């Protein structure tokens, strides 16, 4: 099996590469080479997906049995379309890692793979893809753009040669966003730990390594595949996540649960100041049963938490990224909220 991994240097990319190498596959990675480390066992090609000359040079390295695209989050659909067109003559299948944000109902409504997706053109600029904000207050620019990139892949490779994978939240060793690492660091510091909302609230993160395994399996599939990647509804909870952080770090801290209305009155930003805290019901109603039927296995969240802490404790650090600084609550603000509830 010969595969091309677009984006082999960060988080999901390295997990895909490591899994493919372990299977004995011939792996080529295409990255800009500005961050991350070379992956053992893979052939690294450096270039920019926004440069036609680099794409043409990459295509000369083919053919491949499959492309696994892990790095299109910041690209416009026009750029993804250009890349897909360059690779289509030299690749049999395209596995595209997208996002649940492509659904019109995200994050307010229950979702399944048949839910309505944002209408978007395959070759549009980002500026042309910006619709007005939804009444929920969530601006769907990112989701609309990602829907356009999905369209670019399908229009180029055709339905029969594409797999669209739509994860909700990926966690695990190597996470560069900073959600789980922040909670682990906060748990380690101990004391009274502000815990958001209802401890029984369902959450649905999946381990990046499990997503990588499924992406590799999809490279072997035939026919059009569309799957959400999320933990089973109701299996994991916010309380379980934070308790796992306390236990993994050996913390003596105490979780203090503060209800949503109190947090909102204090102006706390959902999803970032207290990572993974979101009051929108759709964030815990993602139907991923089709993925499980196709072989997707999502390990318990407590295992992901423990492995991430072990990875960090060994001195590892993720690739620096601007999103890291957006996550986490200022200690003074935390103390003020906790003081207000006694």
């Amino acid at each position: 099996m010969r595969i091309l991994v677009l984006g082999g240097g960060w988080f999901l990319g390295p997990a895909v590469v490591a899994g493919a190498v372990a299977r004995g596959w011939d792996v080529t990675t295409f990255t800009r080479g500005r961050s991350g480390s070379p992956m053992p066992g893979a052939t690294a090609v450096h270039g920019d997906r926004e440069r036609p000359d680099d794409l043409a040079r990459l295509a000369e390295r083919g053919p491949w049995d499959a492309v696994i695209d892990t790095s299109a989050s910041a690209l416009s659909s026009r750029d993804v379309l250009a890349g897909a067109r360059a690779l289509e003559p030299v690749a049999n299948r395209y596995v595209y890692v997208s996002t649940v944000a492509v659904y019109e109902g995200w994050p307010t409504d229950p979702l399944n793979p048949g839910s309505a997706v944002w209408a978007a053109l395959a070759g549009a600029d980002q500026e042309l893809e910006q619709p007005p904000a939804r009444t929920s207050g969530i601006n769907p620019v990112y989701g609309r753009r990602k829907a356009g990139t999905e369209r670019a892949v399908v229009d180029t490779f055709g339905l029969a040669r594409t797999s669209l994978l739509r994860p909700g939240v990926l966690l695990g060793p190597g996470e560069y966003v900073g959600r789980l690492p922040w909670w682990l660091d906060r748990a380690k510091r101990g004391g009274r730990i502000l815990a958001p909302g209802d401890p029984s609230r369902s959450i649905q993160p999946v381990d990046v390594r499990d997503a990588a395994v499924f992406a590799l399996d999809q490279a072997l599939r035939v026919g059009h595949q569309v799957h959400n990647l999320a933990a089973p509804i109701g299996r994991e909870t916010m309380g379980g996540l934070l308790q796992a952080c306390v236990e993994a770090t050996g913390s003596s801290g105490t979780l203090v649960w503060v209800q949503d209305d109190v947090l909102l009155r204090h102006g706390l930003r959902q999803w970032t100041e207290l990572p993974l805290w979101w009051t929108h019901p759709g964030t815990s109603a993602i139907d991923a049963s089709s993925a499980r039927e196709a072989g997707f296995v999502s390990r318990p969240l407590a295992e992901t938490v423990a492995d991430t802490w072990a990875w960090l404790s060994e001195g590892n650090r993720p690739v620096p990224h601007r999103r890291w600084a957006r996550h986490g609550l200022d200690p003074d603000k935390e103390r003020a909220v906790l003081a207000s509830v006694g």
Side-chain angles (χ1 to χ4, degrees):
M1 187 75 174
R2 194 163 190 261
I3 67 166
L4 168 65
V5 180
L6 300 179
W10 289 11
F11 199 31
L12 178 58
V16 170
V17 173
V21 170
R23 297 185 186 200
W25 293 4
D26 184 332
V27 184
T28 301
T29 62
F30 184 64
T31 68
R32 291 180 297 178
R34 299 175 185 173
S35 57
S37 302
M39 291 299 298
T43 299
V45 178
H46 294 155
D48 193 324
R49 294 182 62 175
E50 298 179 66
R51 294 178 59 88
D53 290 349
D54 288 353
L55 291 171
R57 178 170 52 84
L58 173 64
E60 292 174 356
R61 298 290 193 111
W64 294 280
D65 296 298
V67 175
I68 301 180
D69 189 348
T70 71
S71 67
S73 61
L75 296 179
S76 70
S77 60
R78 181 181 59 182
D79 293 324
V80 174
L81 181 65
R85 285 175 173 172
L87 296 172
E88 188 277 331
V90 293
N92 291 332
R93 188 166 187 81
Y94 202 114
V95 179
Y96 183 55
V97 182
S98 183
T99 170
V100 292
V102 299
Y103 294 113
E104 290 184 6
W106 171 259
T108 57
D109 304 331
L111 300 174
N112 63 66
S115 298
V117 171
W118 284 107
L121 298 175
D125 290 328
Q126 293 182 13
E127 292 77 11
L128 298 178
E129 298 176 6
Q130 296 182 3
R134 295 185 61 204
T135 55
S136 68
I138 303 299
N139 192 317
V141 170
Y142 174 67
R144 185 74 175 267
R145 174 159 52 84
K146 290 293 284 188
T149 60
E150 286 190 358
R151 181 71 178 269
V153 171
V154 172
D155 283 359
T156 304
F157 274 76
L159 289 173
R161 298 166 60 198
T162 55
S163 288
L164 303 178
L165 307 184
R166 296 168 178 162
V169 175
L170 297 179
L171 301 177
E175 183 205 331
Y176 63 87
V177 177
R179 296 179 178 121
L180 180 52
W182 186 84
W183 276 119
L184 286 164
D185 179 69
R186 179 61 194 91
K188 183 63 177 177
R189 285 190 279 120
R192 299 177 76 219
I193 302 169
L194 176 57
D198 185 344
S200 66
R201 174 176 285 147
S202 175
I203 58 175
Q204 295 184 268
V206 298
D207 193 291
V208 65
R209 296 164 294 183
D210 297 332
V213 168
F214 191 64
L216 292 170
D217 291 343
Q218 287 292 301
L220 300 169
R221 297 298 292 266
V222 296
H224 188 47
Q225 305 283 323
V226 181
H227 300 293
N228 296 330
L229 301 187
I233 296 173
R235 191 189 74 180
E236 309 291 353
T237 64
M238 197 70 186
L241 168 67
L242 299 195
Q243 186 59 40
C245 289
V246 169
E247 293 175 1
T249 59
S251 173
S252 60
T254 302
L255 298 172
V256 180
W257 292 93
V258 179
Q259 294 304 304
D260 295 333
D261 59 341
V262 176
L263 300 176
L264 294 172
R265 281 202 307 272
H266 281 270
L268 269 66
R269 295 190 307 275
Q270 298 189 54
W271 203 244
T272 53
E273 279 194 296
L274 291 170
L276 301 179
W277 168 60
W278 219 350
T279 60
H280 298 293
T283 58
S284 59
I286 303 168
D287 181 0
S289 57
S290 73
R292 291 193 295 275
E293 291 167 2
F296 177 60
V297 177
S298 175
R299 74 189 68 194
L301 183 54
E303 181 179 334
T304 301
V305 171
D307 288 352
T308 302
W309 180 247
W311 184 82
L312 291 168
S313 298
E314 292 169 358
N316 297 299
R317 288 295 179 268
V319 172
H321 195 275
R322 63 183 182 278
R323 293 177 68 185
W324 186 277
R326 300 176 188 172
H327 292 86
L329 183 62
D330 179 81
D332 290 338
K333 193 169 187 178
E334 180 184 28
R335 284 190 289 269
V337 175
L338 290 172
S340 74
V341 297

